[in-house]
Amino acid sequence: MLGRIPKRTITRLTLYYRGLAESRRGDFVSSNEMSKLTGFSADQIRRDLSYFGQFGISGRGYSVVGLRKKLIKILGVDKQCNVAVVGAGNLGSAMLKYGGFEEHGFRIVCGFDANQGKTGRSIAGKRIFDFSRIKKVSRRLKIKIAILTVPAPVASVVARKIVESGIKGIMNFAPINLHLPTTVQVLNMDMGISLQRIAFLLKKGGYR
Amino acid sequence: MLGRIPKRTITRLTLYYRGLAESRRGDFVSSNEMSKLTGFSADQIRRDLSYFGQFGISGRGYSVVGLRKKLIKILGVDKQCNVAVVGAGNLGSAMLKYGGFEEHGFRIVCGFDANQGKTGRSIAGKRIFDFSRIKKVSRRLKIKIAILTVPAPVASVVARKIVESGIKGIMNFAPINLHLPTTVQVLNMDMGISLQRIAFLLKKGGYR
DNA sequence: CCTTGTGAAGTTATTCACAGCA
DNA sequence: TGCTGTGAATAACTTCACAAGG
């Protein structure tokens, strides 16, 4: 167990966690059942879990409760993580209004915007601060991750300032490549690119 | 050239295209310059491009115009692709209002919602149709891709109906695993999972 | 029987390294 | 010299297949 963990394993673990939450029947769940639930192969699931120790029972499977706890611990879902939305436009506002992250341990605590017309007021009970104050506010509110929803032309500059403020994780919705220090974890959610990938796969008939 | 193209190559091609659009100086661009622009290795870039034929010039690099045209052709950006938003809530409305997809060849033509209070009217000039009409409307408007922004509990059912209506590409924002026929291309944009991945990498210090 | 966990094999993707061209 | 394009080597990841446990 626990050599080097493949990157994709982490993504899958979140999906196992999700899948486990969906079905809640029986005390034990086998890798085969998990496979049907998540679409990944049973082999893969066992391998992924084995990176973190052995907690399955031969002939039975994994204790649902135990597996759940394990995944929570691995993924750190037990700890609260505060998140801020940077850019209170259409998409940013939608994020602020969406409450679905809480159950996974993430709390959107506030927004930031550079536009005077948006700062000061609240959206879904979350205050929109002036972006210039991000350093102080994010420190005070212990913000660990920023959701970046500003327009593409300013995204690079804004991202750099986010990093300067001490935030080390960014979920980037702007359709550009931010290049930031490798100490910063950036995850791109570029919808244009996603549409292009889908379109390409449709044209090509997918990978069979 | 052109054996089997790695899946990830497609994702990268869209990023090369994007990177190319960002810098527009000089007639030629080398794989090394592209590397700095996109963050992928020059080797990787050359390999990826070589799957689609040889159009670089030794000692100079790739013609910016030529490469751009090639990428457009490979990715099919030249063709219009019509998209619908299914679920006109906060996120769906934000999508309808966002105009940034057009330049990449995607046009959001309409929305669908099952809620009487939302159907009939328009958002950002795009009509919201009753979801029950999706089959006819999507056929008439030649919709190829659906952006799924309905709440998680109904997402499975809605997705199935989308597929029945003949749409074969789905960008899924609902935080659940849709399992659909393999002929359907699904791309998950689960923000909860993305946050978890970022949080995990922050904790672990990333992959160096 | 049914399971897990894991070496070994197989597959896929990336990097190395260099011949050949401008 | 500076660059591409690509075999060969390497690394990363997944699947096979089976011993061992229940």
Side-chain angles (χ1 to χ4, degrees):
Chain A
M1 83 180 234
L2 217 132
R4 212 180 119 68
I5 300 151
K7 271 186 230 193
R8 307 252 201 102
T9 292
I10 303 311
T11 310
R12 284 192 297 265
L13 287 175
T14 62
L15 290 161
Y16 302 157
Y17 177 68
R18 186 74 40 98
L20 205 59
E22 278 174 46
S23 98
R24 185 68 65 49
R25 51 187 167 192
D27 292 348
F28 283 81
V29 62
S30 68
S31 54
N32 237 301
E33 290 168 309
M34 291 280 288
S35 172
K36 271 160 204 148
L37 222 47
T38 61
F40 298 104
S41 79
D43 283 324
Q44 179 109 76
I45 291 167
R46 290 203 304 282
R47 172 77 61 190
D48 282 341
L49 295 177
S50 78
Y51 288 122
F52 300 93
Q54 35 194 106
F55 42 98
I57 295 172
S58 301
R60 302 250 252 149
Y62 301 89
S63 147
V64 170
V65 176
L67 181 52
R68 196 181 148 73
K69 273 189 191 153
K70 190 84 183 178
L71 289 173
I72 285 173
K73 199 170 169 202
I74 295 167
L75 297 170
V77 191
D78 50 336
K79 292 178 198 69
Q80 268 293 333
C81 177
N82 289 348
V83 178
V85 172
V86 178
N90 292 323
L91 187 56
S93 300
M95 294 292 177
L96 287 160
K97 288 173 192 159
Y98 179 62
F101 301 132
E102 305 257 334
E103 60 180 308
H104 300 300
F106 297 94
R107 195 191 306 163
I108 297 184
V109 290
C110 69
F112 291 97
D113 203 294
N115 186 331
Q116 301 278 343
K118 285 173 180 163
T119 59
R121 67 197 188 90
S122 290
I123 295 176
K126 283 136 193 176
R127 178 97 179 270
I128 311 300
F129 294 99
D130 191 278
F131 183 62
S132 63
R133 297 177 57 199
I134 189 168
K135 192 163 191 167
K136 277 190 186 157
V137 174
S138 66
R139 201 158 299 181
R140 179 156 55 80
L141 298 179
K142 298 191 193 335
I143 291 162
K144 295 283 180 288
I145 298 176
I147 301 179
L148 186 59
T149 58
V150 299
V154 296
S156 271
V157 176
V158 171
R160 207 150 8 215
K161 284 189 185 149
I162 288 172
V163 173
E164 280 168 23
S165 82
I167 294 171
K168 291 197 178 53
I170 296 178
M171 184 155 81
N172 173 38
F173 280 91
I176 57 149
N177 312 315
L178 309 172
H179 20 51
L180 296 172
T182 52
T183 52
V184 181
Q185 299 299 330
V186 179
L187 213 149
N188 293 302
M189 303 283 284
D190 190 314
M191 294 175 286
I193 285 179
S194 300
L195 286 172
Q196 280 187 352
R197 283 174 61 188
I198 296 172
F200 181 89
L201 291 169
L202 286 177
K203 197 176 60 176
K204 222 181 142 289
Y207 289 88
R208 278 146 306 195
Chain B
M1 82 178 235
L2 218 133
R4 215 178 118 66
I5 298 152
K7 272 186 227 191
R8 308 251 202 100
T9 292
I10 304 312
T11 310
R12 285 192 297 266
L13 288 175
T14 61
L15 291 161
Y16 302 157
Y17 176 67
R18 186 74 39 99
L20 204 59
E22 279 175 45
S23 99
R24 189 66 67 47
R25 50 186 168 191
D27 292 349
F28 283 82
V29 61
S30 70
S31 56
N32 238 301
E33 290 168 310
M34 292 280 287
S35 173
K36 271 159 205 153
L37 222 48
T38 60
F40 299 104
S41 78
D43 281 327
Q44 180 109 75
I45 292 168
R46 290 203 304 280
R47 171 78 60 192
D48 282 341
L49 295 178
S50 78
Y51 289 122
F52 300 93
Q54 35 194 108
F55 42 98
I57 295 173
S58 302
R60 303 251 251 149
Y62 301 89
S63 146
V64 170
V65 176
L67 180 53
R68 196 181 149 74
K69 273 190 191 153
K70 190 82 184 182
L71 289 172
I72 285 173
K73 198 170 171 201
I74 295 167
L75 296 168
V77 190
D78 51 335
K79 293 180 198 68
Q80 267 294 333
C81 177
N82 289 347
V83 179
V85 172
V86 178
N90 291 323
L91 187 56
S93 300
M95 295 291 179
L96 287 161
K97 286 173 192 159
Y98 180 62
F101 300 134
E102 305 257 333
E103 60 179 310
H104 300 298
F106 298 95
R107 196 191 304 165
I108 297 184
V109 290
C110 69
F112 292 96
D113 203 294
N115 184 331
Q116 300 278 344
K118 286 174 179 162
T119 57
R121 68 194 185 92
S122 290
I123 294 176
K126 283 134 191 176
R127 178 97 180 270
I128 311 300
F129 294 98
D130 192 278
F131 182 63
S132 63
R133 296 177 58 199
I134 189 168
K135 192 163 190 165
K136 276 192 188 157
V137 174
S138 66
R139 199 157 302 180
R140 180 158 52 81
L141 298 179
K142 299 190 191 339
I143 290 163
K144 296 282 179 291
I145 299 177
I147 300 179
L148 186 59
T149 58
V150 300
V154 296
S156 271
V157 177
V158 171
R160 208 153 5 219
K161 284 189 184 147
I162 288 173
V163 173
E164 280 168 23
S165 81
I167 293 172
K168 292 199 177 55
I170 295 179
M171 184 155 81
N172 173 38
F173 280 91
I176 59 149
N177 313 316
L178 309 171
H179 17 51
L180 297 173
T182 53
T183 52
V184 181
Q185 298 299 329
V186 179
L187 213 147
N188 292 301
M189 303 282 285
D190 189 313
M191 294 175 285
I193 285 179
S194 300
L195 285 173
Q196 280 187 354
R197 284 174 60 188
I198 296 172
F200 181 89
L201 291 170
L202 286 178
K203 197 175 61 177
K204 218 177 146 293
Y207 288 89
R208 279 146 308 193

